[in-house]
Amino acid sequence: MGKQQEGIPMNIVEEATQRRKTIIGTSIIGIVANVFLSAFKAIIGLLSHSIAITLDAVNNLSDALSSLITIVGTMLAGKLPNKKHPMGYGRIEYLSGMIVSAIVLYAGLTSLVESVKKIIWPELADYSTPMLIIIAAAILVKIVLGLFVKHQGLKVNSSSLIASGTDAMFDAILSASVLASAIIYLLTSVSLEAYVGVIISVFIIKSGLEMLSETLDDILGKRADKELTVKIKRMLNEEEVVRGAYDLIINNYGPNRNYASVHLELPDVMTVDEVDVLSRHLQEKVYRETGVVLTGVGVYSYNTTDEEAGKIRHEVMKTVMSHEWALQMHGFYVDMQAKEMRFDVVFSFDILASDGVEHLYHELKELYPDYRIQVSPDVDITD
């Protein structure tokens, strides 16, 4: 898996460095563009007494501030692992995301208050052709900026950049609505300024809440991506001696920094040396194809020489899987001489694991009263 530095493969460090440069460079471009757009729109909004354009300027300024926080968060997250934080500082990006979400929410709530005030105490806007041309140009700039930032975000798998790019495209639509309301006012003398401001504010608040929800999911820990877990399990099961891959747990320590552990069901005749060779091969294979570092490979053994053991396994499987809350059974092994059987059961969140274990224990004890039965509960972590 390559030379290691502080427990992380060197190619991960190199990829992270390049990713960090891309995020910072793209964010700087976003800051410059948004500051200029904010300045122009603020001037136009003040000269024309347009609350919608002024709020649009505030939105651009909050975008610039968000990009600045993204830069700071990315730089801090790029610190190398140390004794105190051996898994690195990648999760700081999620904390900076929470700050960005709070800024967006504050901007949206402030804009909403000001828009409602303008509805109650209206102030007529005063547009000119040059102002409208500048607004149209700003819309074009936002579209180009949004496409660029989103493309860079997809390129380096940065949720912050993807969100910023999408937000920029959305801002272009909102700015277009401001332009449309200005044209309607010039043609009909009907002022929709304050109402457009309310709509913009609501969308800004919605965007902030969505960003906050996504960031909290990352911090709390969420179910691993189904496509990724299925791919890893498929790769593991491709090995001839692997009967099944279970208990796959992926821990995320920041964007593109995933560490995993898994249990493999292997024949009971394999030697420790053979298991070691297999484990190292699979670790290299999984990292090469997914970028996930497989830090731990546990083992379940299964009976290969006793037909009676196979019959018992079939009967136990039938009993366990007759319950809807039992999602999977694996790791089954029975010692015919010692009269012992052990296996794991994945329980759904519809039942307490302790209740499920007790229920299955009593059921199986009736079928096999002479056996010592060990049921280990597993959590429904991956699909």
Side-chain angles (χ1 to χ4, degrees):
M1 293 178 65
K3 183 180 178 182
Q4 299 235 337
Q5 177 178 331
E6 300 291 342
I8 299 178
M10 277 301 298
N11 35 358
I12 291 183
V13 176
E14 292 168 359
E15 289 172 5
T17 300
Q18 184 57 47
R19 176 179 180 273
R20 187 162 60 251
K21 290 180 179 178
T22 301
I23 294 175
I24 292 175
T26 304
S27 297
I28 290 175
I29 293 174
I31 289 173
V32 173
N34 279 304
V35 167
F36 274 107
L37 286 173
S38 179
F40 277 118
K41 289 179 181 179
I43 293 171
I44 295 172
L46 293 174
L47 292 177
S48 64
H49 307 293
S50 170
I51 180 63
I53 296 177
T54 302
L55 294 180
D56 208 11
V58 173
N59 188 33
N60 285 139
L61 194 60
S62 69
D63 289 344
L65 182 58
S66 298
S67 295
L68 179 62
I69 293 173
T70 297
I71 291 176
V72 174
T74 301
M75 293 178 66
L76 292 175
K79 292 177 61 179
L80 290 176
N82 53 38
K83 186 175 182 179
K84 187 175 182 180
H85 299 285
M87 305 309 292
Y89 293 79
R91 286 177 175 171
I92 287 180
E93 281 197 37
Y94 301 144
L95 296 177
S96 64
M98 288 191 68
I99 297 174
V100 170
S101 302
I103 292 173
V104 173
L105 276 174
Y106 176 77
L109 291 171
T110 302
S111 299
L112 181 61
V113 172
E114 292 301 318
S115 298
V116 172
K117 286 182 179 178
K118 288 296 181 180
I119 292 177
I120 299 174
W121 299 289
E123 184 177 347
L124 294 179
D126 182 19
Y127 298 108
S128 65
T129 302
M131 290 179 179
L132 298 182
I133 293 175
I134 293 175
I135 295 174
I139 294 172
L140 182 61
V141 170
K142 263 296 187 179
I143 292 175
V144 174
L145 179 64
L147 290 173
F148 171 72
V149 173
K150 187 173 183 179
H151 171 73
Q152 293 296 92
L154 291 171
K155 180 180 176 182
V156 298
N157 189 27
S158 169
S159 57
S160 297
L161 288 185
I162 294 173
S164 295
T166 303
D167 187 49
M169 295 293 292
F170 191 63
D171 288 345
I173 296 174
L174 296 180
S175 296
S177 69
V178 173
L179 179 61
S181 66
I183 294 173
I184 291 173
Y185 175 73
L186 291 175
L187 295 176
T188 65
S189 297
V190 176
S191 178
L192 301 175
E193 286 287 320
Y195 298 98
V196 171
V198 169
I199 295 174
I200 292 176
S201 302
V202 170
F203 279 112
I204 293 174
I205 293 172
K206 179 176 179 292
S207 176
L209 290 173
E210 289 175 349
M211 291 170 60
L212 182 61
S213 175
E214 291 174 4
T215 306
L216 284 174
D217 284 342
D218 288 323
I219 292 175
L220 292 174
K222 58 185 178 182
R223 185 181 294 274
D225 178 67
K226 181 177 181 180
E227 184 177 345
L228 177 62
T229 58
V230 169
K231 183 176 182 179
I232 292 176
K233 287 182 178 180
R234 185 181 68 248
M235 285 191 294
L236 298 175
N237 284 312
E238 285 173 352
E239 300 297 321
E240 185 177 353
V241 294
V242 176
R243 183 171 180 173
Y246 308 101
D247 308 329
L248 176 62
I249 298 177
I250 300 178
N251 294 307
N252 176 261
Y253 289 91
N256 295 344
R257 194 171 294 180
N258 295 308
Y259 298 83
S261 62
V262 71
H263 273 90
L264 301 180
E265 200 164 37
L266 303 175
D268 56 0
V269 294
M270 283 188 71
T271 65
V272 174
D273 178 60
E274 290 172 332
V275 174
D276 180 54
V277 172
L278 175 65
S279 298
R280 293 177 185 275
H281 164 68
L282 291 175
Q283 286 173 330
E284 182 178 353
K285 180 181 179 181
V286 169
Y287 175 72
R288 184 176 63 249
E289 297 190 27
T290 68
V292 175
V293 180
L294 193 58
T295 57
V297 179
V299 174
Y300 292 129
S301 63
Y302 66 86
N303 303 90
T304 59
T305 58
D306 196 319
E307 292 185 5
E308 184 63 26
K311 294 179 181 178
I312 294 176
R313 182 184 188 281
H314 177 75
E315 185 64 30
V316 171
M317 172 78 79
K318 181 180 177 181
T319 302
V320 171
M321 300 308 294
S322 66
H323 303 286
E324 292 184 358
W325 36 260
L327 303 180
Q328 184 187 81
M329 188 192 91
H330 57 260
F332 182 88
Y333 189 84
V334 58
D335 187 328
M336 303 295 292
Q337 293 183 347
K339 296 290 183 178
E340 294 179 350
M341 70 172 72
R342 58 181 184 268
F343 57 90
D344 290 18
V345 177
V346 178
F347 293 100
S348 73
F349 290 101
D350 297 328
I351 187 174
L352 289 174
S354 57
D355 293 341
V357 169
E358 184 178 1
H359 187 89
L360 291 176
Y361 176 82
H362 289 303
E363 272 192 338
L364 294 173
K365 199 64 176 175
E366 290 182 6
L367 294 174
Y368 303 98
D370 298 331
Y371 278 78
R372 180 177 178 271
I373 301 171
Q374 180 182 345
V375 182
S376 299
D378 279 342
V379 180
D380 179 24
I381 295 178
T382 59
D383 294 295

